[in-house]
Structures are given as C-alpha cells and as structure tokens.
Amino acid sequence: MGFVGKLRRAMPVAFVAVVVAVLAHGAIWLINGEEVTPPDVNGKLESVSFSPYDASQNPEDGDLVTPEQIRADMAVVAPYVKRIRTYAATGGLEHVPEIAAEFGIKVTLGAWIDLDEERNAREIKTAIDLANKFPNTVEAIVVGNETVLRGEKTGAEMAELLRKVRGESPVPITTGDIWSTWLENPEMAGAVDFVAAHMLGYWEGVPRESVVEHAVEAYNRLRTTFPGKHIVVAEFGWPSGGYNMKAAEPGPVAQAEILRAFVSRARDLGIDYNIIEAFDQRWKVNEGSVGAYWGLFDAERNLKFDLAGTITEPNKERIAGAALLVGTLLSLFVFLLKRPTFLQAMVMASAAQCVGAWLAITIAHPLSHYLVVGSAVMWVAGLILLVPLALLSLARIEEIAAVALGRQPARLLAEATPLPDPQPRTVPLVPDVPSVAAAPYLPKVSIHIPAYREPAEMLKQTLDSVAALDYPNFECVVVVNNTPDPALVLPVEAHCRALGPRFKFINAERVDGFKAGALRLALNETAEDAEIVALLDADYVVQPDWLKDLVPHFADARVGLIQAPQDHRDDARSLFHRVLNAEYAGFFDIGMVQRNESNAIVVHGTMCLIRRVALDEAGGWSSDTITEDTDLGLSILERGWTAHYTRRRYGHGLLPDDYQSFKTQRHRWAYGGLQICRKHWRRLLPNRSRLAGPQRAEYLIGWMNWLGAETLGVAAALLNLMWVPVVAFAGIALPDSVLTLPVVIVFLVNILHFSLLYKLRVRMPMRYAVGAAIAAMSLQLTIARAVTLGLFKDTLPFLRTAKGAKKNAVGAFPAKWEAIIGSLLVAGAALLWFTNSDEVREIYVFALVLIVQSLPFLATVSMALLERRCLRQQAAIDAAAPALTPATVAVETAANA
C-alpha cells in the first residue's frame, strides 16, 4: 500500500482525534481566562509618580532627561492625572515644574537624599528654589525617598534634616517612607507637615484580595498614632509582571483590579494618594523581578489597562491563537501514524497541543516582559535547550501511546516459519511480512566470530554452541586478532581443529581497522557458496535452532538482514549484574520492536544474519566508525533492503565485568553513533537514498533521543549550576517557570515512558525495572562526553569491553565527576531553597529542577556503590568458603560441565 493509501486509511481516526484535541485545547483557553470588573475610575487620578526615563536610560548611571522627553511624557499622563510626584530635583527633572504648569498639572517635588551629602545639599537647594519660582505648581517637597528604610540615615538624623528644610521651604515638606518606618520612627512625624506613607502590599507579601484593605488599615493606624497630622498614601501600587512575593501574585489583571479598587476606596474615604507609577521603568533591576512593572503605562507609553469596564488578560487572544496553530501543526504528525487506534491518536494529538501551548507562551514571553541581558540569555538558552527536549518528549509520548494503546506489532518474525524459495528481488519502501509457504530455504551460512584478547575458555564455550547448531549447511570462521598472548590464541586454535573442518581459525597478529578489520579477514575466508553471513560475538552461546528458525526468512529476496536480540547468561552473578541485564532488555524489547515496525532497526552486530549480496552492495565492513555493525546495517537499509527482527532470545552472552566496563561500552556506542550520524545524515535527506520517510524519522529521532537528549541534559544542568550564584546572591535574572518547569515535565514523561513500557513489554520484577531506570540514567554524562568528543575528534582508540573475568577487587571509583556535579546540584538546590525567604515560587521550581538534574549524576554514584557492595559481599562469601581440594575441584568441574 502506498503512502497516500496509508494516509487515507489513517485519516478518519486521526482527523477526529486532532479535531477533538484542538477543541479541548481551545476550551481550556476560554475557561481559564481571567476576567474581572472592578470599580470604574471616574475622573482623573489624584497623583502618580513621574519618572520620564526611556527604555535606554538609567538615572543611577547619571543619564539626564531632556525637556522634550518630559513634555512628551507629560502629554501622555495629562488626560489622566491631577498632579505628579517626582523623586529628584536635578538630572533634568528641574524642568518638570515649568512643563507641568503648561499642562495645568500640580507637582509634589522630590529631593533625593542618600549618603552623598554634597548632592543632598544640591537637591534640597534646587527643590526650594523651584518651589519659590513656581508657587502655583509646586504644592509640596518630599525630602528623600525611603532613605531610612535603606539605612542611609537614622530616623533622628532624618528628623533633624527635615526640620532644617521645613524652616526654609515655602511649601509643606515631608519625607517618603513605608508606613511601618513611620511607626518605628515617630520623631520624623514631628518634623514634617504631613506624613507621606508608602503602602506597597506586594513587598509585604499581602494577597491581592486583601491588599486594598491592608492599605486602609495601615492608613488608619497612622491616623491613630499621629492624631491631627495629615496622612497621605504617597505610594500605592501593584506590579503587572515579575514573580510572587510570598502570597502576593503580580500580574496585569491583578494590577488593574487592585489599582481601580483602591482608587474607588480612597475616593469614598477621602484619602489623598499617589499611585506608583506613571511608566514602567526598565532600569529598576535593583528592585528584583517586579521593578520594571509598576507603571500605569508600559515602557512604550501605552496604557496597560482600561480605567473603566471589564479587564481581561492582555495578549491572550494572540497567545491562544498561536498555541492552537502550533499545536495543530504538530498534531499533523498523527496522520503519519500507521493504523493508529483512536486513543493512541488522541494521546498524541493532545500532547502536541500541550507542546504547542508551551511554545506559544514561551515565545510570547518577551511580549509581556522586559528582558535584561541575563534574562535574555536565559530565555534564548532555554529555548535552544528545551525545544529539542520538548520534541523528543513528543516522540516518547508517541511510543508510550503506540505500546500502551496502539495495535500489536505486525512485523515481528514468527519463530520457525519456513518460507518459499527465493523470488526475483523487489524493494518496496516498507514491505509487509512475507507470506508463509511450506518449502524450507536452507542456504549455506558462514558464521563469523571476531575475538580481540578474549578469554580462551569463554570463546571455546561459544564454539561448542555453534557446533551444536541444528542446521545442515554452515561454516564458522574465527578471527583472533591483535592478541599477542599465546594463552589466548593456542587453545582456541586447537579447539577449532578438534571441532572439525567446518571451523576455520585465523590468527591475525596485526590487523588495522578495529573489529571491522577482523570481519573483513573473515569475509575473505568465507566459502564461495555461502549466501548468508552470521555475526557472533566471542562471548555468545547460541541456541541450536538459531539458524533453523531465522535463515528460512531469507527466502524472500527482499530481506537483507535479520537481527535477534542480545541477552546475557551471567546476570545471576550479583544484584549489580541483574540490574545491568534489565537495562539492556529495555532496548531490545521496546525500542527495537517499535523501530522494526518502520523497517528501521539498529543492527547491533552479534546475533545478526546478513545476506552476503546485501553486505557486498553496502560496501562491506567499514572502519571509519567504531560501531561498524550499526554503520553497515544502515547502509544496507539505505539501499532498499528489508530488515526483520525477532524478540526471541537465540543467544546469550556475558555482561560487562564491572561498571567501568559498562560505561566504556556505552561510551563507544555513543561515540560510534555520532560518527554514523556525521557519515549518513545527508543520506537521510529526501531522495538521497532508498529510505522511506518513517525510516528516516526513526533514525533522526533515535539519534536525537539518545545522543541529543543526554547531551542537552548535561548542558542544561551545567548552565543552571553556573546560574545558581546569580539567583541566590544577586537576586536577578531568575529563570522563569516557562523555562524551568518543562524540565520537570520532561523528567516525568521519561519516568512514565520507562516504567509503563517496561511493565508492558519487558515484564520483570519492579525492583529490577527501577534498577534498570537508574542504570540508564547513570550513563548521561558518559554519553554526553562521547558526543562532545565526537564533535571534535574523528577517531578514538577501540576499547574492549571486559567480559568473562571474575572481578574481586575494588578499583578506582568510577563516578568521581558525576559525584562532584551531582553534589553541587543538590547543594545549589538547598542553597536556593533555604535562602528563599520571600518564598518566590520560581526559586522553588528552580531548586526542584536542580534536584531533578542531579538524579542522573547521583544514579551513577548509586551504580558505583552498588557494584562495590556486591563485590564486598562476594569477597566475604569467598573468604568464608573452605579451601578447595583436588577432589572438590573435580566435583565442581563435573557439575559445571
């Protein structure tokens, strides 16, 4: 069936699933939209704080405002306010009273006070001069702003300064400070004409529902404490962006609701007030995440909310539209699924909509946030790292849906199925499993066993199992290469002679090209009439029916190779080895089965049968990668051959002796995988090979899933680790939850993927499945190292995986760097958690992300410790065992035989 036919066949189910997912996604946006109708603002506001700096200016750096800037900004606020409050009388702000008079706006003039006494004197003199010059515009002078709160003057020092200024000022004077500072320093109240109290409930962690009432209560406390003194709420406001402060949640709707409610309440109670502030001030990074978001107008001078009517979330329609669009585009991949069930398609379409929503929200983040350099770097880096991880999570969700909710695999080979005699070769893109016929097809098979410094007894076991094969027409070529120790060569040579003429022995003392070089030698010694080449690792003991069951499938001339899974016979050595074996099983029972459905299996060498013609057509064994088997398998598929896979275990090898060997093997596989990616990526482009679309997708996603995800995970962990001091000690550029929470979600998807698929496909005790998950996680840094080396180095020396030897000594700790990085991540999380006195949610999320990111590194430590524990237990058993006499040795040898 062609691609168009398959598309039509999947269309009804996929179409309904996508439509349902889109409707559900749209309904969520409609239901969750925040909408409030606070009291309208009737007339002009009493006063707003006025700082006419543009987005590029920072008064703390000495930037000056021009009269033109002031006039333009005054024109913006004039329709909305009766008066304004400034915070300094110099730096260009000395022009404010004159320009305000042009618009009929009154001014409460500020004089900035800090530790610079020379500037303080200049500020006070300028403020008094302006009050004298513009008596009809300047209504009061505010000497200092939160000077006592910042600790730059004591209450007594401030009171003394205020009395001095009061004696010289032609208008009422005061100082601005938070309401609790006035209560704690009552001497200041006697030195001013009125109390200018700041009531900013956000900084006190007051919930938005209570903040207006909280301000009224504070106002009444000041009236009670200072009877007869006029009380002015000199600052009241709420940020439209940034992070929470305990129970205080900023936001655009919250800002609109709170300010309109306060203005209405103040009008009813006759409270004089000043709203902070007119414009968002992008330079206020020293005030944390919310510093830039207190304005009635944004930095571009647009009013952020209506002063009457219903308030809704800004940009919601645009973000929702983008989320639905991106989610729907991602959902189109559902139509490419092969005969999906409705639930399978529904899960995939829903996941695509979730990713679409996250992408839209994340990409729209700068629309409602002012990004400083640090936050911009985090946003860009977050997108670069998280977008691939999100797409990879989609691939894992697709696999979850396929295994848990989809149809049973259709291309797994049946066991012992005789097939018809060969037919003329055709090469469909993804052929169906061939039909069954009665006549057996039993061509000659040449079994190739390369051996590099392998224990002789282990290799002899493999040869004995080959000799016992229930197949009439085979030979075995053994190539011992680059092995100078005669003890590893001569016994094998003698054993081959003893097994008869079917067994050919080659001792190649110097072979270039790693394992591929040895396999080329074996191919040169292969019988001319051998049609099938079988590959076997030196440690594998095969079942007698291996060839009898699988070779007949080559009767279909389209079949280029058949792969059986790896398994191991020594997992009972210890709990550590049982965990390793469980980790291997996941790939062969889950990943390989799913890839087989698209004719895109990964050839992993041992237990593989290859048609000789296909092998020759693909160029034979290549030495330009250190994973020659996978390289060859992909080359064969690129030429249009069909591959088959069976889940039945036809052979059992040996596990790596120790954890370092396990890591070394996976490092080699990952490095070789990147070499293959570099070698073949062009052939995965359309029309560059005979690979079908699903095959190309499987290889691309597989490379990204294994190599990319682990490398990105390490990169993200190291970047976050370096960012911890910035967050903990500088308090700025905290990663937003749209960039941190997805890391936790991706981790949960991975846990679900591992646990559910192991339960459905591997079916082993839960303790081993958990161990397999830990073993798989523990390889993250190893794989990332291999990928990084592969990006910069073309070749690495081939390192043999140690097998077949009994390890009883504890060597160097194989998880040193993982222990260091994991400990630093945990320490960073603890530092953030216990120093988060403001209970900022994003800090807690960031700390949680660091814990999640530490788990792969700590998993490596756990595996290393488990290995040592098992070694100590075995050493204790060996020490307690009685010394063996010749008689007991003979008994044990006979029992083992």
Side-chain angles (χ1 to χ4, degrees):
M1 181 184 294
F3 174 77
V4 175
K6 292 180 180 179
L7 187 62
R8 288 174 179 169
R9 191 172 176 181
M11 180 73 77
V13 168
F15 180 77
V16 173
V18 170
V19 170
V20 171
V22 170
L23 292 175
H25 186 189
I28 291 172
W29 279 100
L30 288 174
I31 293 170
N32 288 338
E34 190 174 10
E35 185 176 293
V36 297
T37 308
D40 295 343
V41 174
N42 298 316
K44 294 184 176 183
L45 299 170
E46 289 297 318
S47 177
V48 297
S49 298
F50 184 79
S51 299
Y53 301 99
D54 64 30
S56 65
Q57 292 179 307
N58 185 347
E60 294 182 345
D61 294 335
D63 293 335
L64 306 179
V65 293
T66 64
E68 291 75 20
Q69 283 181 260
I70 296 170
R71 186 169 285 104
D73 283 351
M74 200 74 71
V76 173
V77 302
Y80 301 97
V81 302
K82 298 176 183 178
R83 58 183 55 82
I84 59 174
R85 175 189 169 186
T86 64
Y87 291 84
T90 61
L93 295 174
E94 62 271 17
H95 300 292
V96 167
E98 180 181 3
I99 296 172
E102 298 173 10
F103 290 88
I105 295 176
K106 303 298 182 181
V107 177
T108 300
L109 194 61
W112 187 260
I113 302 296
D114 56 22
L115 297 175
D116 186 345
E117 295 298 341
E118 183 178 340
R119 179 187 173 181
N120 294 345
R122 188 167 61 252
E123 283 278 332
I124 292 170
K125 181 180 185 305
T126 303
I128 292 173
D129 290 345
L130 290 171
N132 285 316
K133 186 175 181 180
F134 299 101
N136 296 325
T137 300
V138 177
E139 293 185 326
I141 297 175
V142 181
V143 182
N145 183 70
E146 298 183 352
T147 309
V148 176
L149 176 66
R150 294 194 305 272
E152 294 171 348
K153 286 190 180 297
T154 65
E157 291 170 340
M158 198 68 204
E160 181 181 352
L161 177 63
L162 290 168
R163 281 191 288 268
K164 178 182 177 183
V165 176
R166 190 179 188 187
E168 300 175 2
S169 173
V171 295
I173 69 102
T174 187
T175 187
D177 222 314
I178 63 172
W179 64 275
S180 57
T181 298
W182 285 99
L183 294 177
E184 294 164 1
N185 299 275
E187 64 272 23
M188 293 194 308
V192 298
D193 295 298
F194 63 94
V195 172
H198 298 173
M199 299 178 183
L200 303 173
Y202 168 83
W203 293 114
E204 300 176 62
V206 180
R208 62 186 277 189
E209 300 82 6
S210 309
V211 68
V212 172
E213 199 58 41
H214 175 78
V216 172
E217 292 173 1
Y219 173 83
N220 288 330
R221 284 187 64 183
L222 291 172
R223 290 186 64 190
T224 301
T225 304
F226 307 115
K229 188 69 74 172
H230 183 49
I231 310 296
V232 175
V233 179
E235 280 188 359
F236 181 89
W238 196 263
S240 63
Y243 305 130
N244 70 294
M245 171 68 70
K246 298 181 181 178
E249 296 281 354
V253 177
Q255 182 189 47
E257 180 182 32
I258 290 168
L259 292 184
R260 282 172 53 173
F262 173 77
V263 169
S264 175
R265 191 72 187 279
R267 180 192 59 214
D268 294 343
L269 297 176
I271 298 174
D272 289 333
Y273 65 86
N274 173 73
I275 298 296
I276 182 167
E277 56 194 320
F279 309 113
D280 283 350
Q281 301 294 305
R282 298 186 64 169
W283 57 271
K284 288 189 176 181
V285 293
N286 62 324
E287 294 184 14
S289 66
V290 299
Y293 298 100
W294 293 82
L296 292 170
F297 298 84
D298 62 25
E300 286 71 42
R301 279 36 181 179
N302 301 307
L303 190 65
K304 287 158 79 173
F305 57 87
D306 294 331
L307 299 179
T310 299
I311 302 296
T312 58
E313 295 178 57
N315 299 318
K316 177 187 171 184
E317 291 80 6
R318 284 191 289 173
I319 296 173
L324 288 167
L325 175 62
V326 176
T328 303
L329 290 175
L330 291 173
S331 297
L332 295 180
F333 289 101
V334 176
F335 293 102
L336 301 180
L337 297 178
K338 186 177 181 181
R339 298 179 61 232
T341 65
F342 175 74
L343 288 178
Q344 177 189 358
M346 190 66 211
V347 167
M348 193 60 198
S350 300
Q353 293 294 331
C354 291
V355 173
W358 171 75
L359 276 172
I361 293 170
T362 303
I363 293 173
H365 188 70
L367 294 177
S368 56
H369 293 78
Y370 305 115
L371 300 183
V372 297
V373 174
S375 57
V377 169
M378 287 297 294
W379 182 73
V380 172
L383 278 179
I384 292 173
L385 293 173
L386 289 176
V387 168
L389 287 179
L391 297 178
L392 290 174
S393 292
L394 267 183
R396 293 188 178 181
I397 291 171
E398 189 277 327
E399 193 168 55
I400 292 172
V403 173
L405 303 172
R407 305 180 193 279
Q408 290 299 311
R411 293 191 75 252
L412 280 176
L413 285 183
E415 298 165 12
T417 303
L419 297 176
D421 289 330
Q423 302 296 321
R425 179 183 170 203
T426 58
V427 187
L429 291 178
V430 184
D432 295 329
V433 177
S435 59
V436 177
Y441 173 58
L442 304 173
K444 186 168 186 176
V445 178
S446 183
I447 302 171
H448 296 176
I449 305 177
Y452 170 66
R453 301 186 181 186
E454 303 288 0
E457 291 304 314
M458 179 187 76
L459 184 50
K460 286 163 65 176
Q461 280 186 294
T462 299
L463 294 173
D464 287 340
S465 71
V466 171
L469 282 170
D470 182 13
Y471 191 80
N473 195 12
F474 76 88
E475 68 172 5
C476 181
V477 183
V478 181
V479 181
V480 177
N481 66 96
N482 300 301
T483 304
D485 187 354
L488 302 179
V489 179
L490 298 180
V492 177
E493 182 178 14
H495 199 66
C496 286
R497 281 197 302 268
L499 291 174
R502 281 184 170 185
F503 289 80
K504 302 177 183 179
F505 177 82
I506 302 169
N507 180 21
E509 296 181 357
R510 184 176 180 82
V511 175
D512 295 327
F514 311 119
K515 186 176 178 182
L519 290 171
R520 286 195 294 269
L521 281 179
L523 198 59
N524 291 337
E525 298 296 326
T526 298
E528 291 292 332
D529 59 340
E531 297 182 33
I532 308 298
V533 172
L535 186 62
L536 203 60
D537 280 356
D539 59 313
Y540 262 74
V541 172
V542 294
Q543 300 297 317
D545 52 359
W546 173 39
L547 299 182
K548 181 181 71 174
D549 283 359
L550 297 184
V551 170
H553 289 278
F554 283 98
D556 180 355
R558 300 170 297 182
V559 176
L561 61 91
I562 297 174
Q563 180 72 66
Q566 294 183 15
D567 207 339
H568 307 92
R569 63 184 186 272
D570 60 340
D571 59 314
R573 289 165 60 183
S574 68
L575 175 60
F576 169 76
H577 289 89
R578 284 193 288 271
V579 166
L580 290 193
N581 196 42
E583 193 274 337
Y584 283 104
F587 174 72
F588 296 107
D589 286 334
I590 301 170
M592 285 287 282
V593 173
Q594 293 308 115
R595 294 178 69 105
N596 183 58
E597 293 302 293
S598 298
N599 190 27
I601 62 172
V602 175
V603 174
H604 46 80
T606 190
M607 305 305 302
C608 185
L609 306 175
I610 305 172
R611 189 185 296 275
R612 189 172 182 178
V613 173
L615 194 157
D616 292 338
E617 186 180 299
W621 298 104
S622 172
S623 295
D624 51 8
T625 76
I626 60 174
T627 47
E628 69 295 318
D629 40 19
T630 306
D631 180 18
L632 176 65
L634 179 53
S635 296
I636 290 174
L637 292 176
E638 287 169 349
R639 285 157 177 81
W641 292 92
T642 296
H644 283 309
Y645 181 68
T646 177
R647 283 184 62 185
R648 180 181 168 186
R649 271 59 172 170
Y650 284 99
H652 296 77
L654 298 177
L655 288 160
D657 286 336
D658 52 42
Y659 186 49
Q660 185 58 52
S661 298
F662 178 63
K663 292 176 67 180
T664 299
Q665 182 189 62
R666 204 58 59 94
H667 186 281
R668 184 176 73 248
W669 290 356
Y671 181 83
L674 190 69
Q675 286 181 312
I676 293 171
C677 184
R678 293 174 60 181
K679 177 178 177 179
H680 288 266
W681 70 268
R682 292 177 183 85
R683 300 175 201 168
L684 268 63
L685 298 175
N687 303 318
R688 299 296 293 271
S689 71
R690 303 184 73 171
L691 291 173
Q695 290 175 298
R696 292 196 297 268
E698 285 289 350
Y699 273 97
L700 287 172
I701 292 172
W703 285 333
M704 291 176 60
N705 207 4
W706 189 42
L707 304 177
E710 304 295 1
T711 306
L712 290 174
V714 172
L718 295 178
L719 283 174
N720 283 341
L721 187 58
M722 290 187 291
W723 212 255
V724 167
V726 177
V727 175
F729 302 117
I732 60 173
L734 175 63
D736 196 273
S737 57
V738 296
L739 298 176
T740 52
L741 197 57
V743 174
V744 179
I745 295 173
V746 167
F747 174 75
L748 294 176
V749 168
N750 291 342
I751 292 296
L752 176 64
H753 177 271
F754 206 97
S755 58
L756 183 60
L757 269 55
Y758 255 71
K759 180 179 179 181
L760 294 174
R761 283 278 173 83
V762 185
R763 297 182 181 178
M764 61 176 53
M766 180 55 65
R767 62 184 182 276
Y768 296 147
V770 172
I774 294 172
M777 279 196 300
S778 76
L779 297 165
Q780 186 183 67
L781 184 60
T782 297
I783 294 172
R785 278 173 171 166
V787 171
T788 304
L789 282 173
L791 291 173
F792 301 102
K793 283 191 173 185
D794 292 331
T795 59
L796 284 180
F798 184 91
L799 297 177
R800 173 185 174 271
T801 303
K803 298 178 181 180
K806 182 178 179 181
K807 179 177 178 179
N808 51 22
V810 176
F813 190 63
K816 181 181 72 173
W817 283 108
E818 289 90 345
I820 292 171
I821 296 172
S823 299
L824 288 174
L825 287 166
V826 172
L831 174 66
L832 293 175
W833 190 279
F834 292 111
T835 59
N836 188 17
S837 58
D838 295 332
E839 301 175 17
V840 178
R841 186 185 310 105
E842 272 72 9
I843 292 181
Y844 287 134
V845 173
F846 191 33
L848 177 61
V849 166
L850 293 176
I851 291 294
V852 168
Q853 291 178 319
S854 74
L855 294 179
F857 302 100
L858 299 181
T860 312
V861 177
S862 300
M863 290 296 296
L865 293 176
L866 174 62
E867 178 192 33
R868 294 192 165 214
R869 174 174 171 265
C870 292
L871 285 173
R872 285 194 298 269
Q873 290 176 341
Q874 186 60 48
I877 293 172
D878 292 344
L884 294 178
T885 65
T888 58
V889 171
V891 170
E892 288 199 5
T893 302
N896 289 334

